[in-house]
Amino acid sequence: MMEVMKAVLFGLILSLTVGPIAILVLGNGIHHGYVTAMRSAIGAAMADYCYALISFITGTLLISQLDAYHYQIILLSSWVLIFMGFYMMYSALKNTRLLANVHHPGKKLGFRSTFFLTLANPVALIALSAFIGHSIDQLNLLFAMQLAGAVFVGSLIIQCILAISGAVSRSTLMDDDEVITFPFYLQVLGGLVICLFGVSNFVDLAG
């Protein structure tokens, strides 16, 4: 149960990246309304779910064949998670200019377009593969699918928050700066938490 909750949290964090998908979902809410924004939010979450399924099932099959290298797998996964955490924080600083794009009306992209655009970003696949590497003590195919579902739930929550934030901005004329700055701070926090995932693995290995 603890690993499932960690997977939900990881899905939440993974969706905090301020990039084209976050801008797309926010922009759909602001310029095209709640329904379009929610469709794009579900498309992004489904893409994360597909990546989670691929990562977790493939990881489970590979790890089951590498019993003698569990320590090395956990060690490598820890370093990758720490790297991904710093990458998220760096990206938050680097991509703040992308938040300005949310003011410019874009194309009306729904479920299918957002789904394929999200799949075009392999960063999530790397992070998810590192996450499954530290869960090797409980791995089986059914558990891998449960973890993938938990990642989907976490991702969907964040994507829906982005969609609703954009739609609320459109309907109530909320200050645009307030709406488009909170993903930046969330991504910095998310990067820090992913680093802590990696550090916790080192602590477990030391114990």
Side-chain angles (χ1 to χ4, degrees):
M1 185 63 181
M2 181 60 68
E3 290 299 322
V4 173
M5 295 306 298
K6 286 182 180 179
V8 173
L9 177 61
F10 201 79
L12 285 166
I13 295 168
L14 200 61
S15 301
L16 294 178
T17 303
V18 179
I21 301 303
I23 300 304
L24 187 155
V25 175
L26 272 171
N28 272 342
I30 293 172
H31 302 293
H32 305 297
Y34 175 79
V35 173
T36 300
M38 289 302 295
R39 286 175 180 167
S40 60
I42 295 170
M46 280 299 299
D48 287 339
Y49 175 63
C50 289
Y51 265 154
L53 273 179
I54 293 170
S55 300
F56 294 172
I57 291 177
T58 303
T60 297
L61 295 174
L62 288 176
I63 290 170
S64 65
Q65 302 300 316
L66 300 170
D67 290 337
Y69 299 97
H70 281 187
Y71 178 88
Q72 290 84 352
I73 290 171
I74 295 174
L75 193 64
L76 177 61
S77 298
S78 300
W79 279 115
V80 172
L81 287 173
I82 291 172
F83 171 80
M84 290 302 301
F86 279 109
Y87 175 81
M88 279 186 66
M89 290 186 281
Y90 171 74
S91 296
L93 297 172
K94 181 181 177 182
N95 294 331
T96 49
R97 65 182 181 275
L98 289 177
L99 291 172
N101 293 337
V102 78
H103 295 295
H104 305 124
K107 291 183 179 179
K108 188 176 181 179
L109 300 178
F111 174 89
R112 184 184 302 176
S113 298
T114 308
F115 175 80
F116 287 114
L117 284 173
T118 306
L119 286 181
N121 182 10
V123 173
L125 186 62
I126 297 171
L128 289 163
S129 298
F131 176 81
I132 197 64
H134 83 83
S135 303
I136 59 177
D137 292 334
Q138 306 179 48
L139 282 184
N140 56 65
L141 289 178
L142 178 60
F143 186 62
M145 289 187 284
Q146 289 175 340
L147 290 181
V151 168
F152 169 75
V153 171
S155 176
L156 184 62
I157 290 172
I158 292 298
Q159 301 298 345
C160 288
I161 289 174
L162 292 172
I164 293 169
S165 297
V168 168
S169 173
R170 181 184 192 226
S171 61
T172 65
L173 299 179
M174 184 185 296
D175 182 6
D176 284 338
D177 289 336
E178 180 182 350
V179 174
I180 65 173
T181 55
F182 81 88
F184 165 79
Y185 298 107
L186 287 178
Q187 182 177 350
V188 172
L189 177 62
L192 179 61
V193 173
I194 286 185
C195 285
L196 292 177
F197 265 101
V199 171
S200 70
N201 291 344
F202 284 122
V203 173
D204 291 341
L205 287 175

